[in-house]
Structures are given as C-alpha cells and as structure tokens.
C-alpha cells in the first residue's frame, strides 16, 4: 500500500541553525501539508501546498518557514533559524485531487520527523 | 473558525469491553468531514474512520463505529471488543468541505489517551 515517507526520523540541531525536513508524498497525490505537534499537545496545521504554491498557511507559518517541491517526488519544509520552541514532531500529509483544484477528503500522514532544538 | 473539543484527556477500558470517546465541534458550516485518527506510541498518525456530514448513516469500520449527531455537533467513537493494540492517543479532527479546492486543513482536538487493561 502506498504511504507517505519522511526523513530523517529524528533531527537534532542547535538554535539558530537551518533545518530541512523531507517528505515523499504518495505518488499520485497533488495536495501536500505540514503539521506539527509539540510534545503533549494537539496537532497543528502549518501549511498546505497545491500546484506549486502555498494554498493556505497558519499564523505559526511565519517568515522563518518555507516549503518547496524541488522535484516530482519530494516536498520539503525549511526552518531558517531554529528556535527552542520549534522542537516538535513534524508531520507531512498528502491527499489526492479528484479534479482540477479539488482534493479528496482524506489526508494520509507520514511517520513524522522529531525535531529537537538545543 | 472551527474548533474541536475532546473533553476526556484519558480513558481506560478492559480488554474485550466497549469504550466510547467523545468529541464535539463548533462550526457554522453545513458541509464538512469528521475523522478519528489514532496515534500509537510510535507517534504515527493512522486514520481510523471518517464521516461525511451530509450522510446521516453512521460510519463503521470493523470494531470501530461513530455516533454522529449533526444537530448537537457531536461525533463520538465507539470501540467494541477492545484489544491491547487499541491503546493509543485518539484525535478527533474536522475538515471543511466549503473551500475544498484549497485542500482544506484538518483541525484537531486535544486528544484522548486510551489505555487498555488486560
């Protein structure tokens, strides 16, 4: 069964450093998402991406965050200058398009990347 | 903005027994989806069951079923014949269907930890 994959599974970085989290969505999916979950808290939406552009972003997704689809398979989340409060689990998700600009209801999640900022 | 509330931080159930997890939500929309996701200790997000708001019939998936009360904005999850593998954090989530062309983010509740006793 197709699945969303994410690398690395765990990333440790120093405060102020840049990190790139990588995701490979399910191959025929066209909608991509990033969510984060601070330990012990709810899962929060960061950004959605369709047709090579951001379609929606949350207040959390400020200028230090960016997303990119550098090729036909990868979807990345970059954090330019990490802060202690960026420590969290980051989930990538994807969903199908059933027509131009229309996604299906179900988002499939990757296993997550645990980011630890020291 | 939509909100999702899970009022039970933690629940326990005896193996083979039935347990119900509660979820309420607030929205002014009439067309949306509701989901239950399971998050085991591995922290992977696994879709358990989904419900379309326009369908009156409650969704079922094997031992998992929902009680969807649209007027009351309630969406509870019933797990029958509980198994040790059901032990996990369960998240209720809402997704609008109004702006489906933008992909539509999931809005999550705070989660309920389910413990299964042998």
């Amino acid at each position: 069964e197709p699945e969303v994959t994410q690398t690395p599974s765990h990333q440790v970085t120093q405060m102020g450093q840049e990190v790139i989290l990588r995701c490979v969505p399910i191959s025929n999916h066209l909608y991509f998402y990033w969510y984060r979950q601070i330990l012990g808290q709810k899962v929060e939406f960061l950004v959605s991406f369709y047709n090579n552009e951001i379609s929606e972003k949350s207040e959390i997704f400020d200028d230090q965050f960016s997303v990119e689809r550098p090729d036909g398979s990868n979807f990345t989340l970059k954090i330019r200058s990490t802060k202690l409060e960026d420590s969290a689990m980051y989930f990538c998700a994807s969903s199908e398009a059933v027509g131009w600009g229309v996604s299906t209801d179900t988002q499939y999640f990757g296993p997550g990347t645990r980011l630890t900022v020291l | 903005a939509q909100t999702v509330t899970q009022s039970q931080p933690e629940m326990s159930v005896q193996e083979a027994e039935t347990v119900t997890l509660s979820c309420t939500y607030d929205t002014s929309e009439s067309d949306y989806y509701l989901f239950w996701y399971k998050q085991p200790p591995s922290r992977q997000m696994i879709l358990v069951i989904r419900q379309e708001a326009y369908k009156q019939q409650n969704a079922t998936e094997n031992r998992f079923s929902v009680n969807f009360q649209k007027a009351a904005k309630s969406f509870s999850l019933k797990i029958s014949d509980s198994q040790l593998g059901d032990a996990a954090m369960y998240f209720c989530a809402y997704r609008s269907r109004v702006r489906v062309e933008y992909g539509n983010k999931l809005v999550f509740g705070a989660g309920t930890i389910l413990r299964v006793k042998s």
Side-chain angles (χ1 to χ4, degrees):
Chain A
E1 186 176 331
E3 57 183 23
V4 178
T5 59
Q6 291 185 242
T7 54
S9 57
H10 190 190
Q11 174 93 45
V12 181
T13 189
Q14 295 291 325
M15 190 169 56
Q17 295 296 303
E18 174 183 288
V19 295
I20 297 176
L21 309 183
R22 291 183 168 78
C23 168
V24 178
I26 294 172
S27 61
N28 63 334
H29 287 188
L30 298 180
Y31 287 87
F32 313 120
Y33 313 84
W34 284 102
Y35 294 84
R36 81 171 185 190
Q37 183 185 30
I38 295 171
L39 187 63
Q41 297 186 24
K42 68 170 69 175
V43 179
E44 301 172 293
F45 168 76
L46 290 177
V47 65
S48 59
F49 189 87
Y50 172 73
N51 196 29
N52 284 319
E53 62 182 26
I54 291 173
S55 50
E56 187 176 5
K57 61 182 180 180
S58 72
E59 294 172 352
I60 304 167
F61 194 87
D62 60 22
D63 291 344
Q64 70 161 341
F65 291 94
S66 62
V67 289
E68 190 179 28
R69 186 147 164 87
D71 53 43
S73 60
N74 289 282
F75 179 53
T76 62
L77 174 69
K78 181 192 291 186
I79 309 175
R80 282 185 241 292
S81 177
T82 50
K83 303 174 187 142
L84 295 176
E85 55 265 36
D86 293 328
S87 294
M89 190 74 135
Y90 288 81
F91 292 101
C92 174
S94 69
S95 62
E96 279 185 271
V98 292
W100 181 254
V102 180
S103 75
T104 61
D105 53 13
T106 301
Q107 295 177 22
Y108 295 89
F109 282 75
T113 292
R114 183 188 299 179
L115 177 64
T116 302
V117 182
L118 302 175
Chain B
Q2 296 84 21
T3 58
V4 177
T5 302
Q6 293 178 251
S7 58
Q8 305 155 317
E10 193 169 322
M11 293 283 284
S12 290
V13 63
Q14 200 70 35
E15 203 175 1
E17 297 294 308
T18 296
V19 65
T20 299
L21 308 184
S22 301
C23 172
T24 59
Y25 57 94
D26 187 29
T27 184
S28 58
E29 298 172 341
S30 60
D31 201 6
Y32 48 86
Y33 302 103
L34 295 163
F35 304 86
W36 280 98
Y37 280 89
K38 171 185 176 181
Q39 187 180 47
S42 66
R43 298 188 74 183
Q44 169 94 46
M45 294 289 286
I46 302 165
L47 177 67
V48 175
I49 200 165
R50 58 186 273 271
Q51 173 82 41
E52 293 97 332
Y54 63 86
K55 288 187 178 179
Q56 292 185 331
Q57 187 173 5
N58 289 323
T60 62
E61 286 287 341
N62 301 312
R63 297 183 295 108
F64 299 87
S65 61
V66 298
N67 184 4
F68 173 49
Q69 301 288 329
K70 191 172 184 180
K73 296 180 183 173
S74 170
F75 182 62
S76 60
L77 175 69
K78 185 170 83 171
I79 306 174
S80 304
D81 186 24
S82 297
Q83 300 174 359
L84 294 176
D86 295 332
M89 175 80 93
Y90 286 81
F91 290 99
C92 180
Y94 172 102
R95 183 186 163 179
S96 170
R97 209 174 172 214
V98 172
R99 293 174 60 217
V100 68
E101 67 272 17
Y102 294 118
N104 293 101
K105 63 179 182 282
L106 288 167
V107 177
F108 287 88
T112 297
I113 298 172
L114 178 65
R115 304 192 192 281
V116 181
K117 296 182 276 191
S118 58

